[in-house]
């Protein structure tokens, strides 16, 4: 679940659950136990259905249910957070283990058996076999976090993570995680329909029911750190992470640009990241970050308590003494030499190799698109939107400049204004919020665009519950109907315009259609939902020869599947319609007809 699917009902339900656990812990425990029992009963039904199938159809049951399920569950369950990480051997990095062991001994925590490095701006500690004599404790440190924190901040972070180990949090959360895993895995296949109605309600309820436990785990880990290492360490960790997060996000954007260049293979990611995260923001930006974090209310899906609450647990009166710090955690824990940086670079490049290739391919696609469609404020809004997105991918400044040019010509255009508000948010959040609200009022279809989450974040950042409620209730009310319209079939009365054709795509379409004798004509039309925004659906309407009896339903569906596979990147929806429908609603649209079998055979497409 993510912000895109949060409703106001979810938000209030989650907050009620937090208060319910706080005021009535016993009743809460009984309620959670009942949800677990429900799940176990449903599991029995599913397993019984699987065994029933195996009993009456042994071969089909074993091949289609048992083998795929066992294989899928084995893969998912054995997958751990240490996957895609860099293992630090104790022999090669004795100084790191010595430092961690010293902190563990000081706070009377359990021994860490293995340490890993990953690419997250975070750290975590997990245990395996935690309730047995064979217990193993693993610590995973994000390389970006090591680059950003001070030694004191990292000590607080480690003490927090060791608190999770001491309180057996990974064992408790593991039970709930595996319960959800059973229902989320695709291995259940058709058997999921046995409990589908119950599951739809149970899954959402269960996720919100266990959140108070996960949040309490974070509070307990902070308290553990305060009790054993003092409040200054956890306060330093919380404040330093808050002030360096924007720098890390900015570095990730810069890294995406670097991935598109030919120098990516030799890019010194380890040193460049360290250099970027050592820098402190300007005084103005620091003040903006801290004030925002103090006002911020925690997202209902965030396991951590609010920034202000964490500082209160640490006994921190003012965060300002922690905002400027020497980011020396990496130097304090590691011997920094060429061998170390080479190891980090090799890890990162292997980890990001596939993603970098995708980024390069996407950049080439965008560059080709821009070469064929030179950005101009005179373009149709859908083309303007595509051009802005394409430019932003490999030249953000050029994207902002083009957006400004378009706004000069269309100063009241809601979609362009919303894109501008997204760029404006960091510097002028109040102004951005006003633009967002005004644009959504003008064109509700803008709720379907992802950048409305910026407005959601504004209300969270400012602690404006009334604004948050208004936004979520309005979105909850409008979005289902908008999606229903967007996903609806092409019908009479839809607002249709000709598709701005890509000649290469049209040629390939004609070539594919000519191979199937029953298709006699084809139209390309675009359904628009609001004249002021770029949201649209492109349809390729196929007309079959009604005198042909060879084109049975199976062949029709197979043909559609093939077209969808070939043109998966073209964003076209392929459908069949009668010639009478096309004559009435499509023939009058200039350029909609792009394929006529008779004309194509004569070479007159």
């Amino acid at each position: 679940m993510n912000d895109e699917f949060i409703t106001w009902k979810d938000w209030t339900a989650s907050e009620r659950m937090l208060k319910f656990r706080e005021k009535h812990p016993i009743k809460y425990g009984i309620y959670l136990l009942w949800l677990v029992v429900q799940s176990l009963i449903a599991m029995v039904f599913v397993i019984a259905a699987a065994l029933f199938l195996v009993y009456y159809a042994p071969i089909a049951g074993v091949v289609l249910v048992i083998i795929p399920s066992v294989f899928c569950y084995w893969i998912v369950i054995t997958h751990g957070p240490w996957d895609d990480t860099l293992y630090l051997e104790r022999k090669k990095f004795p100084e790191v283990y010595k430092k961690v062991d010293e902190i563990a001994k000081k706070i009377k925590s359990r021994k860490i058996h293995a340490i890993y490095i990953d690419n997250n701006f975070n750290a975590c500690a997990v245990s395996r076999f935690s309730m047995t004599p064979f217990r193993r404790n693993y610590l995973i440190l994000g390389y970006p976090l090591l680059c950003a924190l001070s030694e004191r901040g990292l000590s607080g972070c480690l003490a927090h993570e060791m608190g999770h180990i001491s309180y057996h949090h990974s064992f408790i959360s593991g039970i709930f995680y595996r319960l959800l895993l059973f229902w989320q895995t695709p291995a259940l296949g058709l058997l999921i329909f046995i409990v589908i109605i119950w599951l739809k309600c149970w899954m959402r309820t269960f996720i919100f029911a266990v959140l108070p436990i996960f949040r309490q785990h974070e509070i307990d880990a902070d308290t553990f750190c305060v009790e054993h290492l003092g409040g200054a360490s956890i306060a330093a960790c919380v404040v330093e992470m808050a002030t360096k997060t924007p720098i890390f996000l900015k570095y990730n954007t810069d890294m995406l640009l670097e991935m598109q260049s030919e120098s990516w293979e030799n890019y010194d990611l380890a040193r460049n990241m360290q250099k970027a995260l050592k820098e402190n923001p300007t005084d103005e930006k620091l003040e903006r970050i801290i004030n925002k974090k103090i006002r911020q209310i925690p997202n209902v899906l965030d396991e951590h308590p609010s920034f202000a609450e964490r500082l209160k647990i640490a006994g921190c009166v003012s965060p300002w003494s922690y905002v400027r710090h020497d980011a020396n955690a990496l130097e304090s824990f590691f011997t920094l030499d060429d061998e170390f940086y080479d190891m980090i670079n090799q890890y990162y490049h292997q980890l990001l190799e596939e993603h970098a290739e995708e980024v390069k391919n996407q950049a080439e696609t965008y560059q080709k698109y821009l070469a064929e469609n030179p950005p101009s404020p005179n373009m149709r809004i859908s083309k303007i939107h595509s051009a802005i997105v394409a430019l932003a991918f490999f030249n953000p400044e050029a994207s902002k400049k083009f957006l400004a040019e378009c706004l000069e010509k269309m100063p009241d255009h809601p979609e362009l204004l919303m894109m501008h508000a997204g760029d404006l948010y960091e510097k002028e959040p109040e102004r951005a919020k006003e633009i967002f609200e005004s644009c959504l009022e003008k064109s509700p279809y803008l709720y379907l665009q992802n950048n409305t989450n910026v407005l959601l974040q504004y209300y969270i950042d400012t602690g404006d519950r009334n604004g948050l409620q208004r936004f979520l209730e309005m979105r909850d009310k409008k979005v289902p109907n908008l999606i229903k319209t967007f996903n609806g079939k092409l019908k009479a009365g839809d607002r249709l315009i000709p598709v701005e054709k890509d000649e290469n795509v049209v040629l390939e379409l004609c070539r594919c259609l000519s191979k199937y004798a029953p298709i006699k004509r084809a139209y390309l039309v675009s359904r628009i939902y609001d004249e002021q925004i770029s949201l649209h659906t492109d349809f390729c309407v196929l007309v079959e020869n009604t005198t042909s009896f060879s084109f049975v339903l199976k062949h029709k569906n197979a043909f559609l599947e093939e077209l969808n596979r070939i043109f998966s990147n073209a964003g076209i929806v392929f459908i069949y319609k009668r010639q009478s429908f096309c004559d009435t609603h499509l023939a009058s649209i200039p350029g909609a007809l792009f394929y006529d079998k008779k004309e194509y055979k004569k070479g007159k497409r």
Side-chain angles (χ1 to χ4, degrees), residues 304-342:
H304 295 84
S306 69
F307 179 80
E309 189 177 348
R310 296 192 74 183
L311 291 183
K312 187 177 179 181
I313 293 169
C316 176
V317 178
S318 171
W320 299 104
S321 57
Y322 301 100
V323 293
R324 291 202 171 276
H325 64 280
D326 180 14
N328 63 344
L330 194 63
E331 294 95 320
S332 301
F333 276 71
F334 290 84
T335 301
L336 304 182
D337 52 21
D338 290 342
E339 185 179 354
F340 170 79
Y341 287 118
D342 289 343

Side-chain angles (χ1 to χ4, degrees), residues 333-404:
F333 276 71
F334 290 84
T335 301
L336 304 182
D337 52 21
D338 290 342
E339 185 179 354
F340 170 79
Y341 287 118
D342 289 343
M343 177 191 71
I344 296 294
N345 273 316
Q346 185 178 1
Y347 160 70
Y348 260 104
H349 280 282
Q350 286 178 349
L351 183 68
L352 300 175
E353 183 179 352
E354 187 176 339
H355 180 54
E357 191 63 32
E358 290 174 359
V359 168
K360 281 184 181 178
N361 292 337
Q362 195 170 357
E364 289 173 4
T365 302
Y366 280 146
Q367 286 174 337
K368 182 182 177 184
Y369 173 83
L370 291 169
E372 296 171 353
N373 303 272
S376 167
N378 298 319
M379 299 165 73
R380 189 186 289 179
I381 184 59
S382 59
K383 291 284 187 180
I384 289 176
H385 178 93
S386 299
I388 290 171
V389 171
L391 282 168
F393 189 76
F394 62 88
N395 193 340
E397 292 305 315
S399 176
K400 291 177 183 178
K401 184 179 177 182
F402 176 55
L403 176 58

